[in-house]
Amino acid sequence: MDFQLTEEQKAVQQAARDFAQTELLPGVIERDEHQKFPAEQIKKLAELGFMGMMVDPKYGGSGMDTISYVLAMEEISKIDASVSVCMSVNNSLVCWGLEKFGTEAQKQKYLIPLAKGEIIGAFCLSEPEAGSDATSQRTTAEDMGDYYLLNGTKNWITNGNTASVYIVIAQTDKEKGHKGINALIVEKGMPGFEVGKKENKLGIRGSDTHSLMFNNVKIPKENRIGENGFGFNFAMKTLNGGRIGIASQALGIASGALEFSLKYAQERKSFGKEIFQHQAIQFKLAEMATKIDAARMLCFKAAYLKDQGKDYTKAAAMAKLYASEVAMYATVEAVQIHGGYGFVKEFHVERLMRDAKITQIYEGTSEIQKIVISRDLLKN
């Protein structure tokens, strides 16, 4: 087993790190404070090819592997998880799903501008009473012959107002259960499509999270992804890749907390010496580093399996489960290491702690990851 990164992967990692430090770090506190969407930063990220990293170049993407995607997500997330979640949704949930299951016409019309970052996409599964449970969809897509009539509400949608293209999961035939669900491509501006208010969130405050309302929106049949009734399978397969993205985001948040803590521990003095010389601080740093490395290996394993075309369902769920727990652990420890300064915004770690919590919730809660893992174990 080779643990060495390729030269190309190292270059991607360095480019992401440089971007995070030069373009994201200045202004990240202000964007968080004022819930400002990082439009300018996303545009520059797209120019680097990071909004369609794994998409074939013939469709406007960068053609990179999933390991490179994990590396880039980690570096971006160290500084601004609001940027990385936008990047994750566009890459893992929207671009991947369209490239894997979309028609050639759908790829030409939607995937190319999405992969280039000319427009942003959104993935619409969660509902007020459904969360990540795709089988309990109340949003309906009534088959009207040559179009679907879409009605319902979606909640907690990342890129909710800034997206131009939305993949919406909706129930077409309730009697068929999960086999009666479809995935539809919805364009912003379609009559009857309304964006609700922006959510005032604990963390990732710069990201654009909204409810979406659909009132008799006519969706052409050519905007359905896959065969009739494929929507549930589409959502499940797409969420697998999404878990790698969120695991990588959690990994980055934890890594950022460790880096800020290492820097602070070598500058801050207590009882006549730098605090890193105190064994209590050393223990915290060692525990953080060990858990972060373990989370990174889980992310790499899931990414490797995906790149090899092997089943990565369990690996992605494990990576997301553990990395999100490490993100919470590491950020809480970082605040503790910083003491009173950890409670102050200018030292960054309190923001990382707030951002870390959402990684345990979206793309399925920790409990959902455990269900996915146990089902995989029990089928063998």
Side-chain angles (χ1 to χ4, degrees), residues 285-339:
L285 295 171
E287 289 262 5
M288 290 165 70
T290 302
K291 291 177 185 292
I292 289 167
D293 257 13
R296 186 176 292 111
M297 290 301 103
L298 284 171
C299 290
F300 282 171
K301 179 181 179 181
Y304 171 80
L305 291 174
K306 182 173 181 288
D307 286 336
Q308 295 299 309
K310 298 180 180 179
D311 183 10
Y312 59 95
T313 302
K314 181 179 70 174
M318 284 181 167
K320 198 270 184 183
L321 171 65
Y322 187 69
S324 63
E325 291 177 351
V326 171
M328 279 306 304
Y329 169 82
T331 54
V332 170
E333 288 292 78
V335 171
Q336 195 69 25
I337 289 170
H338 281 72

Side-chain angles (χ1 to χ4, degrees), residues 22-327:
T22 59
E23 300 290 343
L24 298 183
L25 187 56
V28 64
I29 294 174
E30 179 186 2
R31 290 193 300 274
D32 174 79
E33 182 76 18
H34 298 289
Q35 304 185 69
K36 182 180 179 182
F37 183 78
E40 181 181 342
Q41 290 74 21
I42 295 295
K43 181 180 178 181
K44 292 179 178 179
L45 199 66
E47 292 170 357
L48 290 174
F50 284 172
M51 293 301 283
M53 291 187 68
M54 298 169 286
V55 176
D56 192 307
K58 71 179 181 180
Y59 295 121
S62 301
M64 299 181 193
D65 61 8
T66 313
I67 295 288
S68 296
Y69 172 58
V70 170
L71 293 169
M73 278 291 296
E74 178 180 358
E75 294 300 327
I76 299 300
S77 302
K78 286 179 182 179
I79 303 301
D80 194 344
S82 293
V83 170
S84 67
V85 71
C86 177
M87 173 181 163
S88 177
V89 168
N90 207 70
N91 274 284
S92 297
L93 300 182
V94 181
C95 285
W96 185 84
L98 282 171
E99 184 174 24
K100 184 73 173 178
F101 302 109
T103 64
E104 185 61 29
Q106 290 169 351
K107 293 174 185 178
Q108 292 295 327
K109 184 175 182 180
Y110 300 113
L111 179 58
I112 290 175
L114 284 164
K116 290 181 177 179
E118 296 171 349
I119 60 175
I120 296 173
F123 184 79
C124 310
L125 174 62
S126 295
E127 298 185 358
E129 297 182 24
S132 297
D133 181 6
T135 61
S136 300
Q137 298 296 297
R138 293 195 177 184
T139 297
T140 59
E142 186 179 357
D143 192 336
M144 304 299 288
D146 58 349
Y147 66 90
Y148 289 101
L149 200 61
L150 185 64
N151 284 280
T153 301
K154 295 294 183 180
N155 266 21
W156 322 115
I157 305 304
T158 300
N159 304 334
N161 190 46
T162 52
S164 299
V165 174
Y166 303 77
I167 297 179
V168 180
I169 310 300
Q171 182 73 254
T172 298
D173 190 337
K174 191 173 183 179
E175 291 184 359
K176 291 184 178 179
H178 73 278
K179 294 182 178 180
I181 295 172
N182 280 310
L184 306 175
I185 303 170
V186 180
E187 297 177 25
K188 192 172 188 179
M190 284 182 165
F193 176 22
E194 181 182 350
V195 177
K197 70 177 182 66
K198 185 175 182 177
E199 301 292 350
N200 187 1
K201 307 187 299 292
L202 171 72
I204 55 167
R205 288 170 58 80
S207 70
D208 198 19
T209 308
H210 291 257
S211 294
L212 307 177
M213 284 75 74
F214 307 98
N215 183 20
N216 289 330
V217 183
K218 291 184 178 181
I219 311 298
K221 276 286 180 69
E222 59 263 30
N223 280 30
R224 186 186 70 208
I225 300 175
E227 297 297 321
N228 185 37
F230 180 66
F232 176 81
N233 285 334
F234 173 85
M236 295 302 99
K237 291 177 183 294
T238 305
L239 285 175
N240 280 340
R243 288 176 180 125
I244 295 177
I246 297 310
S248 305
Q249 182 187 44
L251 170 63
I253 292 170
S255 297
L258 177 59
E259 290 186 5
F260 281 120
S261 297
L262 286 168
K263 183 175 184 293
Y264 181 80
Q266 294 174 76
E267 296 173 348
R268 176 68 170 170
K269 288 187 175 181
S270 175
F271 299 101
K273 56 185 178 181
E274 292 83 2
I275 64 171
F276 78 89
Q277 298 185 51
H278 295 295
Q279 196 175 68
I281 300 299
Q282 292 173 1
F283 284 178
K284 288 183 182 296
L285 295 171
E287 289 262 5
M288 290 165 70
T290 302
K291 291 177 185 292
I292 289 167
D293 257 13
R296 186 176 292 111
M297 290 301 103
L298 284 171
C299 290
F300 282 171
K301 179 181 179 181
Y304 171 80
L305 291 174
K306 182 173 181 288
D307 286 336
Q308 295 299 309
K310 298 180 180 179
D311 183 10
Y312 59 95
T313 302
K314 181 179 70 174
M318 284 181 167
K320 198 270 184 183
L321 171 65
Y322 187 69
S324 63
E325 291 177 351
V326 171

